[in-house]
């Protein structure tokens, strides 16, 4: 395997030119700080020189417990089954109920975001923590379940209640971070919470069902993986592997059959889904409701500060297996959302709003995510990237190809992008933007199905088992001074430059396997979370969070900072605005195999983290990482 290249001269010039613009941008960023805009707008700190990481790396060793670098403290903040809403029952893994689970912290914690209290402040010791609950596995919920999804309606109701999101109020005290009990902000969103469809697909014939003949109101959100936050302080939660919930036997689906197949419905023998919810609710049976799957695969927006507000599915951002939804404020006030479609040979996307966000009027954002242009990326071998707009009536996106209107294009985003010639990638996962340089980092986690004849410049390895990260450099912005809080560069331009940043597969040399989620800390330093899946034991390396260099001689290499317990992957890294707290989601501890090779089971798990109570299953948990000396995480 080759080492990641140094920046090309062209890229170095671009970066230098940007640094010359610091004075201008610093003025804009100061405005952002005054407004108390959210974390991705913290360019004021990112513009200063990045401090070096200062910590002793963790050994690359899989252990039953989690571990953080010396000089830091990692404390479990909240676990599956802990109370979220007032009146939640105590966690009892032997007597799970849907009513209890709907008031407790859900399973599969993934994306997290921190929202200071009071709203609009940059408070780093008191705020709301929003957490996605991605999925459930019945084998870890009940001792006698051998399938991934239970077929018993009362258990399916528990699974549904363990999905969605949690909003918790958290406060930093002398004893560490704590959940504020019975908070008025506390909220559980589940697989049955009513939410609106907005944007071009709202009311479309292909999202109408017998329960919702208007095609405007959906029950619930599914497989919420990563996400993002908006300039106005709301959460974007990304619906990923929604095919896992729908029974779709061969020959069913009618006019939607091709569409459903393209999203993986019916791929398993007999068209059986991983979760067997059709045993409890006929809307998950495609034979009964062929349009119900079209109501998933979107990005959901919700306001964490208002627990009574109704979440909204923003259909203008496209329908696919969204890993994340990363918002950037462009220099001209347009809002740009980057998102990857996490499946082998799928695409990288970008949405650009038609309207502009005014940082002086942060509440005037209505419609910004409902009107705009979605594009898919084509990576050319000469290092240029072309954004291909998915516009109805243009090129192949016309009626003779089955696209009768803009709604059709969004409902079948994957097919539209492929027809336009977007580049099939090695499972695009998270995307993050460096607020200091404007460079965009795009993760490809793995693709073991790519053959030698299918390699290309941007996906250069056949049987890519270890993943890679690309770096995009948008062109310089021109014209009027940027709006407050905007990222450098023109993220709405039709082209960008791209370069290889990191090739996974050599953890002992600083190149972690299977990068998944990314985050920049407020000092502008990049962190990479990994998900090796079943290969964790074979690789002999824990999943965790790595501190990654983006400049200098060690650019594109990373150091393990936090190691998950055995079997877990790391998700959802989020920093408080002061960089002194890092929240991470530890997902599916104990999954996989014991060190001696025997399969892990609920009653014989490979670890009982975090409680280590005999007879109790492991619990997905969110961890707060701080320093006892109160300093910045990572040194
Ligand atoms: Fe839910 Fe792409 O991981
Ligand atoms: Ca992920
Ligand atoms: Ca991220
Ligand atoms: Ca993953």
């Amino acid at each position: 395997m080759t080492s990641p290249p140094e920046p090309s001269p062209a890229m170095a010039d671009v970066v230098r030119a940007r640094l010359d613009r610091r004075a201008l941008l610093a003025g804009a960023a100061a405005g952002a700080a005054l407004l108390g805009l959210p974390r991705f707008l913290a360019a004021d700190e990112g513009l200063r020189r990045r401090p070096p990481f200062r910590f002793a790396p963790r050994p690359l060793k899989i252990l039953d417990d989690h571990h953080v670098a010396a000089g830091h403290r990692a404390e479990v903040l909240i676990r599956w089954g802990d109370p979220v809403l007032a009146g939640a029952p105590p966690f009892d893994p032997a007597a799970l109920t849907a009513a209890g689970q709907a008031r407790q912290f859900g399973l599969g914690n993934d994306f997290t975001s921190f929202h200071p209290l009071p709203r609009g402040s940059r408070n780093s010791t008191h705020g709301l923590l929003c957490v996605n609950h991605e999925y459930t596995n019945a084998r870890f919920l009940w001792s006698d379940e051998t399938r991934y999804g239970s077929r018993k309606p009362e258990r399916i109701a528990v699974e549904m209640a363990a999905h969605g999101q949690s909003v918790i109020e958290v406060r930093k005290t002398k004893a560490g971070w704590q959940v504020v009990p019975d908070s008025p902000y506390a909220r559980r969103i589940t697989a049955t919470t009513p939410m609106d469809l907005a944007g071009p697909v709202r009311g479309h014939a292909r999202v109408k069902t017998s329960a919702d003949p208007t095609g405007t109101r959906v029950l619930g959100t599914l497989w919420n993986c990563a996400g993002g936050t908006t300039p106005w302080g709301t959460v974007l939660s990304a619906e990923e592997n929604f095919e896992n919930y729908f029974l779709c036997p061969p020959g069913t689906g009618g006019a939607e059959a091709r569409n459903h197949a393209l999203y993986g419905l019916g791929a398993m023998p007999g068209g059986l889904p991983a979760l067997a919810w059709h045993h409890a609710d006929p809307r998950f049976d495609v034979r009964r409701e062929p349009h119900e799957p079209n109501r998933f695969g979107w990005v959901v927006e919700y306001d964490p500060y208002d627990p009574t507000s109704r979440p909204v599915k923003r259909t203008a951002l496209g329908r696919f297996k969204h890993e994340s939804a990363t918002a950037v404020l462009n220099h001209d006030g347009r809002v740009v959302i980057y998102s990857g479609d996490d499946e082998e040979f799928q695409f990288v996307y970008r949405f650009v709003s038609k309207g502009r966000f005014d940082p002086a009027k942060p509440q005037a954002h209505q419609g910004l995510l409902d009107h705009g242009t979605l594009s898919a990326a084509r990576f050319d071998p000469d290092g240029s990237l072309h954004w291909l707009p998915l516009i109805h009536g243009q090129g192949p996106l016309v009626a003779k190809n089955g696209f009768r209107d803009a709604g059709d294009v969004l409902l079948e985003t994957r097919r539209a992008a492929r027809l336009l010639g977007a580049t099939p990638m090695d499972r695009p996962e998270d995307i993050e933007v460096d607020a200091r340089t404007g460079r965009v980092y795009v993760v490809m986690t793995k693709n073991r199905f790519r053959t030698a004849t299918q390699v290309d410049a941007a996906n250069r390895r056949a049987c890519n088992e270890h993943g890679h990260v690309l770096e995009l450099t948008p062109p310089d912005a021109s014209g009027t001074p940027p709006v407050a809080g905007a990222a450098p560069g023109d993220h709405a331009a039709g082209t960008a430059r791209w370069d290889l940043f990191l090739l996974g597969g050599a953890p002992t040399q600083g190149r972690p396997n299977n990068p998944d989620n990314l985050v920049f800390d407020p000092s502008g330093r990049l962190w990479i979370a990994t998900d090796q899946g079943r290969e964790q034991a074979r690789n002999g390396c824990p999943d965790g969070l790595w501190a990654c260099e983006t400049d200098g001689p060690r650019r594109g290499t990373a150091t393990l900072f936090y190691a998950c317990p055995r079997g877990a992957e790391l998700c959802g890294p989020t920093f408080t605005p002061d960089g002194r707290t890092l929240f991470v989601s530890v997902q599916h501890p104990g999954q996989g195999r014991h060190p001696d090779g025997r399969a892990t089971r609920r009653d014989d798990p490979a670890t009982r983290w975090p409680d280590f109570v005999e007879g109790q299953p492991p619990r997905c948990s969110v961890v707060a990482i701080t320093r006892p000396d109160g300093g910045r995480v990572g040194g």
Side-chain angles (χ1 to χ4, degrees):
M1 288 170 225
T2 56
S3 296
E6 287 298 302
S8 62
M11 181 173 289
D13 287 345
V14 168
V15 172
R16 202 172 305 118
R18 296 232 168 83
L19 295 179
D20 290 342
R21 296 170 58 236
R22 273 186 183 179
L24 174 64
L25 292 168
L34 285 173
L35 286 162
L37 294 171
R39 64 191 172 113
F40 73 95
L41 300 175
D44 48 336
E45 293 171 75
L47 282 167
R48 293 200 287 270
R49 185 175 162 273
R50 296 179 217 268
F53 293 113
R54 289 185 201 278
F55 63 88
R58 286 294 316 161
L60 302 182
K61 199 164 179 204
I62 302 171
L63 299 165
D64 288 352
D65 206 349
H66 67 159
H67 290 86
V68 69
H72 294 78
R73 178 168 57 196
E75 295 173 304
V76 172
L77 174 70
I78 190 166
R79 306 159 293 184
W80 162 47
D82 281 342
V84 171
L85 300 180
F91 178 63
D92 181 357
L96 302 174
T97 67
Q101 180 63 80
R103 308 188 80 77
Q104 296 167 331
F105 197 65
L107 258 169
N109 41 220
D110 201 302
F111 176 76
T112 73
S113 55
F114 180 80
H115 304 260
L117 284 171
R119 184 174 200 160
S121 75
R122 290 176 62 81
N123 191 351
S124 290
T125 59
H126 184 203
L128 304 176
L129 193 70
C130 299
V131 184
N132 278 357
H133 300 296
E134 190 177 27
Y135 67 92
T136 56
N137 182 345
R139 298 184 193 114
F140 272 81
L141 282 163
W142 296 282
S143 302
D144 56 347
E145 290 284 356
T146 57
R147 294 184 177 89
Y148 196 86
S150 177
R151 296 182 174 188
K152 299 179 179 176
E154 69 278 12
R155 291 186 176 183
I156 291 170
V158 175
E159 293 173 359
M160 289 179 172
H163 276 66
Q165 288 84 18
S166 290
V167 179
I168 54 175
E169 183 180 344
V170 292
R171 191 189 290 276
K172 193 178 188 182
T173 70
K174 286 197 176 120
W177 280 92
Q178 294 182 345
V179 178
V180 176
D182 302 339
S183 166
Y185 295 103
R187 182 170 197 185
R188 278 302 323 280
I189 296 170
T190 74
T192 57
T193 301
M195 39 194 77
D196 286 341
L197 275 173
V201 172
R202 178 178 173 82
H204 196 279
R206 295 174 65 186
V207 292
K208 293 178 179 174
T209 64
S210 53
D212 175 29
T214 65
T216 58
R217 182 70 58 89
V218 182
L219 292 183
T221 182
L222 303 173
W223 207 286
N224 298 78
C225 194
T229 55
T230 65
W232 44 94
T234 59
V235 180
L236 299 176
S237 179
E239 294 185 326
E240 197 189 32
N241 302 328
F242 61 92
E243 82 280 11
N244 285 327
Y245 302 83
F246 294 95
L247 174 66
C248 187
T252 60
E256 297 292 341
R258 175 180 64 178
N259 175 31
H260 291 341
L262 196 52
Y263 287 91
L265 278 77
M268 301 299 285
L272 289 172
L275 282 295
W277 292 2
H278 56 284
H279 286 278
D281 187 339
R283 72 184 169 117
F284 294 104
D285 184 340
V286 164
R287 297 171 301 186
R288 305 276 291 274
E289 293 291 350
H291 290 163
E292 187 70 16
N294 290 346
R295 294 143 65 84
F296 297 90
W298 305 107
V299 170
V300 179
E301 181 183 11
Y302 69 94
D303 182 354
Y305 293 98
D306 181 0
T308 66
S309 62
R310 193 178 302 133
V312 181
K313 299 198 177 192
R314 299 291 179 193
T315 65
L317 276 54
R319 176 171 173 264
F320 47 92
K321 298 181 188 179
H322 291 270
E323 166 71 22
S324 63
T326 303
V328 184
L329 190 57
N330 205 39
H331 68 96
D332 55 9
R334 284 184 286 176
V335 179
V336 175
I337 313 281
Y338 290 101
S339 190
D341 185 351
D342 183 6
E343 193 164 302
E344 292 87 356
F345 303 110
Q346 292 302 330
F347 310 112
V348 173
Y349 294 90
R350 180 196 71 177
F351 169 84
V352 180
S353 70
K354 182 178 177 195
R356 292 162 204 267
F357 176 69
D358 180 354
K361 300 176 189 165
Q363 296 314 309
H365 56 80
Q366 283 71 20
L368 279 179
L369 299 185
D370 294 333
H371 305 280
T373 303
L374 182 68
S375 300
R378 191 186 77 212
F379 294 82
D380 287 350
D382 64 357
S384 62
L385 180 155
H386 296 262
W387 289 108
L388 312 172
L390 279 66
I391 298 175
H392 178 253
Q394 292 190 5
L397 308 185
V398 293
K400 82 173 169 62
N401 287 324
F403 299 106
R404 288 157 298 180
D405 53 32
D408 282 339
V409 172
L410 292 165
L411 282 159
E412 299 187 66
T413 299
R414 282 184 165 184
R415 191 165 70 85
R418 196 170 298 273
L419 283 169
L420 287 168
T423 303
M425 309 299 287
D426 287 348
R427 283 188 57 189
E429 295 238 39
D430 204 1
I431 302 174
E432 286 290 344
V433 178
D434 183 341
R436 193 185 70 131
T437 64
R439 287 178 286 185
V440 183
Y441 294 83
V442 186
V443 168
M444 263 52 70
T445 196
K446 70 173 97 164
N447 182 0
R448 63 172 61 93
F449 302 117
R450 187 177 292 274
T451 65
T453 59
Q454 292 174 309
V455 297
D456 59 33
N459 303 274
R460 57 181 67 181
R461 292 197 289 201
C463 189
N464 181 4
E465 290 194 73
H466 301 298
H468 59 284
V469 181
L470 299 179
E471 180 183 67
L472 318 184
T473 305
D476 271 347
S478 57
T480 54
V483 299
D490 185 358
H491 294 264
T495 61
R497 301 293 300 171
W498 70 267
D499 219 334
L500 177 67
F501 176 70
L502 183 154
L503 270 176
T508 57
Q509 297 165 42
R511 294 195 278 121
N513 295 316
N514 306 117
D516 189 333
N517 289 150
L518 304 174
V519 68
F520 276 93
D521 69 22
S523 302
R525 302 178 299 186
L526 178 62
W527 301 74
I528 300 177
T530 64
D531 170 18
Q532 300 167 98
R534 293 177 187 160
E535 309 308 324
Q536 183 191 96
R538 189 196 69 177
N539 293 335
C541 181
D543 277 307
L545 192 68
W546 299 66
C548 185
E549 304 288 348
T550 49
D551 301 301
R554 296 193 64 242
R555 172 183 145 79
T557 64
T559 306
L560 184 61
F561 170 78
Y562 172 84
C564 290
R566 187 182 312 280
E569 71 169 276
L570 196 80
C571 308
T574 292
F575 285 87
T576 49
D578 63 1
R580 295 171 194 272
T581 299
L582 163 65
F583 297 105
V584 293
S585 275
V586 176
Q587 196 189 70
H588 57 71
Q591 183 175 277
R593 294 191 172 273
H594 290 261
D596 65 7
R598 73 182 193 278
T600 189
R601 293 185 296 107
R602 183 187 191 272
D603 296 332
D604 180 24
T607 178
R608 293 190 191 275
W609 186 87
D611 301 335
F612 296 104
V613 172
E614 198 57 35
Q616 188 168 290
R619 301 165 79 179
C620 297
S621 302
V622 172
V623 172
I625 297 173
T626 53
R627 292 175 63 104
D629 65 7
R632 185 171 49 204
V633 172

